[in-house]
Amino acid sequence: MIQTIRKAWGIPELRKKIIFTALILLIFRIGNAIPVPYVDTGLMENYINQMSTTILGLYNVMSGGAFAEATIFALGVQPYINSSIIIQLLTIAIPALSRLAREGGEEGKKKIQSITRYATIAIAILQGWGYYMLMSRYGILRETHVWAALVIIVSFIAGSAFVMWMGEQITEFGIGNGISIILFAGILSRVPNMVSSMVSGITAGTLKWWMALLVVVGILLLVVLITWVNGAERRIPVQYAKRQVGRKMYGGQASTLPMKVNMSGVLPIIFAQSIAMIIPTVAAFLPAPKEGSFGYWLVNAVDSKSVIYMIVYFLLIIAFSYFYASIQFNPVEISNNLKKNGGFIPGFRPGKPTADFIRKVLNKVTMFGAIYLGIVAILPLIIGKIVDQAALSIGGTSVIIVVGVALETVQALESQMLMRQYRGFLE
């Protein structure tokens, strides 16, 4: 990655894009350090630390710690991510949106992007209001009058909209993948705090050295596994029949139909984690159940350290992996497209036999990808159980996002360098 950035820095046009991206990230980090008015940030941070194994802890990690400090960028990219997922699902469920995405071309993409922006603002309003009510209920606010409520909620909404705008600017004028890079920067900014807390724990004797070593080795193993699987794909051979148009002969060449092993990315983990954390999150807002009651057993059974939680979490990841694979890869549509373009898979007739074969391969690839995501998500839980650190329950999500975005950014830079310096880069 460092070598790629160094080569990209030598190209004036790419150097401008890298500097622009760095300036946007600097603004993002400054905004993450500016708290909204009327909030006791010390009380808020203590409260979020106590809720580290709930959905609030997941939001805090995604925002780079800004959620716990109630800064103007506390909502981060979460409203945009949620909006994108919702619009993607609605595109499949609503025929009008499906036609717009499939047949609308560039204009259709712009309309869907506009709908996503409006949905982001709507979700930011709901989350900003919920965030304010949370702080008001637990006495985290210094003042609770109407003006204070308006300032706090509007600050959160404006911050979320500004983060979305910065992500789009990086995509258009920077090195690309704007929202992902902002998410990457937020998660990566927590690394120094994690290292310092680990060192403090070893110094104070609360964390044994072999436990810290186990955490580091586990993270390195995750990085190697994610890097290895991220570029893995199953390539189905495709042959195109020769056809004559006028005096020219077209087709006859061989190609491949690529299927990424992890085509769903980190979304199955995020969705599975959100659902698995519902009961612990609700229990955190209710009075503690009596020992021996069903509520007490249920809360302990779904605790992030419990075996039941890990099994349910793993199964949810597999279920969501298949769900997203079915959304992104339609065997019938691909089979029809191959047939229209004169393509076929050797050994299978066009039409239903081809679709059935693609579906069979897709199921196998998805199963491997789902098991891989499950291992990435469960490994931090197991290590956290061994070293008695519940905060590691969302470590797998963070690692896969950081590594995935880093690899995508390197690929984007390499592709831009290939377009500008074929000879120098390939040599």
Side-chain angles (χ1 to χ4, degrees):
M1 181 178 182
I2 296 175
Q3 187 73 5
T4 301
I5 294 175
R6 188 183 66 80
K7 289 182 179 180
W9 187 261
I11 303 174
E13 189 177 347
L14 290 183
R15 187 189 308 135
K16 291 178 182 178
K17 290 187 175 184
I18 293 173
I19 293 173
F20 179 82
T21 302
L23 289 175
I24 293 291
L25 293 179
L26 178 62
I27 295 172
F28 172 69
R29 291 306 304 156
I30 292 172
N32 268 4
I34 302 174
V36 297
Y38 310 114
V39 178
D40 189 330
T41 55
L43 290 176
M44 187 67 204
E45 191 169 3
N46 291 333
Y47 176 74
I48 295 298
N49 289 336
Q50 294 172 6
M51 305 283 284
S52 61
T53 58
T54 65
I55 294 176
L56 300 182
L58 178 62
Y59 271 29
N60 188 42
V61 170
M62 295 294 183
S63 66
F67 193 83
E69 298 173 2
T71 67
I72 57 175
F73 291 163
L75 297 183
V77 296
Q78 280 298 320
Y80 183 85
I81 292 174
N82 294 336
S83 171
S84 300
I85 293 171
I86 291 171
I87 298 302
Q88 185 181 14
L89 296 177
L90 289 178
T91 301
I92 298 166
I94 301 175
L97 281 177
S98 178
R99 285 194 301 270
L100 187 64
R102 192 172 59 252
E103 304 169 3
E106 193 64 30
E107 193 65 29
K109 290 180 181 179
K110 289 181 180 179
K111 287 182 180 178
I112 291 177
Q113 184 65 25
S114 179
I115 295 171
T116 304
R117 291 193 193 103
Y118 286 121
T120 300
I121 300 300
I123 293 173
I125 292 172
L126 293 175
Q127 290 187 349
W129 172 257
Y131 196 14
Y132 168 78
M133 295 302 295
L134 173 71
M135 293 187 290
S136 176
R137 178 178 178 181
Y138 288 94
I140 296 171
L141 299 176
R142 294 193 178 97
E143 298 182 31
T144 56
H145 49 78
V146 177
W147 174 249
L150 185 63
V151 169
I152 292 171
I153 295 173
V154 170
S155 297
F156 288 145
I157 297 170
S160 179
F162 190 62
V163 168
M164 175 180 65
W165 178 83
M166 288 193 296
E168 292 179 348
Q169 296 307 301
I170 293 176
T171 301
E172 187 172 355
F173 303 108
I175 58 178
N177 299 326
I179 296 297
S180 298
I181 288 177
I182 287 179
L183 186 61
F184 168 86
I187 294 174
L188 207 62
S189 66
R190 292 177 56 84
V191 172
N193 291 333
M194 292 171 59
V195 173
S196 62
S197 63
M198 190 178 293
V199 172
S200 300
I202 295 173
T203 306
T206 56
L207 182 66
K208 296 180 180 179
W209 68 267
W210 64 267
M211 292 182 176
L213 182 63
L214 183 62
V215 171
V216 173
V217 171
I219 292 175
L220 292 177
L221 288 175
L222 279 180
V223 171
V224 172
L225 179 63
I226 293 167
T227 305
W228 178 61
V229 176
N230 190 75
E233 59 184 19
R234 168 73 159 87
R235 297 176 182 175
I236 301 176
V238 177
Q239 186 73 36
Y240 287 91
K242 290 184 179 181
R243 53 195 175 93
Q244 187 169 350
V245 179
R247 295 182 178 180
K248 293 185 178 180
M249 185 72 70
Y250 293 91
Q253 74 271 20
S255 182
T256 57
L257 179 66
M259 269 187 205
K260 285 185 70 69
V261 172
N262 182 27
M263 64 178 65
S264 304
V266 76
L267 289 177
I269 292 182
I270 294 176
F271 260 56
Q273 200 162 37
S274 300
I275 292 178
M277 286 181 172
I278 288 177
I279 295 178
T281 302
V282 172
F285 290 99
L286 299 175
K290 294 181 181 179
E291 190 171 351
S293 63
F294 174 76
Y296 182 83
W297 174 84
L298 182 62
V299 170
N300 285 289
V302 297
D303 182 78
S304 59
K305 295 180 184 178
S306 69
V307 177
I308 295 177
Y309 175 89
M310 295 182 189
I311 293 173
V312 172
Y313 186 26
F314 189 85
L315 294 177
L316 284 173
I317 289 173
I318 291 178
F320 279 115
S321 295
Y322 273 97
F323 174 71
Y324 272 100
S326 64
I327 289 175
Q328 295 178 337
F329 213 93
N330 189 340
V332 176
E333 185 177 347
I334 292 172
S335 174
N336 292 335
N337 290 337
L338 287 175
K339 189 176 180 180
K340 288 178 184 177
N341 295 316
F344 62 94
I345 298 174
F348 297 91
R349 297 182 62 184
K352 190 176 182 301
T354 298
D356 291 341
F357 173 72
I358 294 174
R359 186 178 293 107
K360 182 180 178 181
V361 175
L362 177 64
N363 289 336
K364 291 180 179 179
V365 170
T366 304
M367 174 56 74
F368 184 86
I371 293 173
Y372 146 75
L373 285 177
I375 293 173
V376 169
I378 294 296
L379 188 59
L381 290 176
I382 296 172
I383 296 176
K385 188 177 180 67
I386 295 173
V387 302
D388 196 23
Q389 292 288 327
L392 288 175
S393 60
I394 47 184
T397 311
S398 304
V399 174
I400 195 173
I401 289 174
V402 168
V403 177
V405 173
L407 292 174
E408 287 177 6
T409 304
V410 169
Q411 290 173 359
L413 285 174
E414 287 179 349
S415 63
Q416 292 184 49
M417 284 190 291
L418 279 171
M419 289 192 318
R420 291 168 175 80
Q421 285 188 341
Y422 299 105
R423 185 174 179 182
F425 181 68
L426 291 174
E427 290 177 354

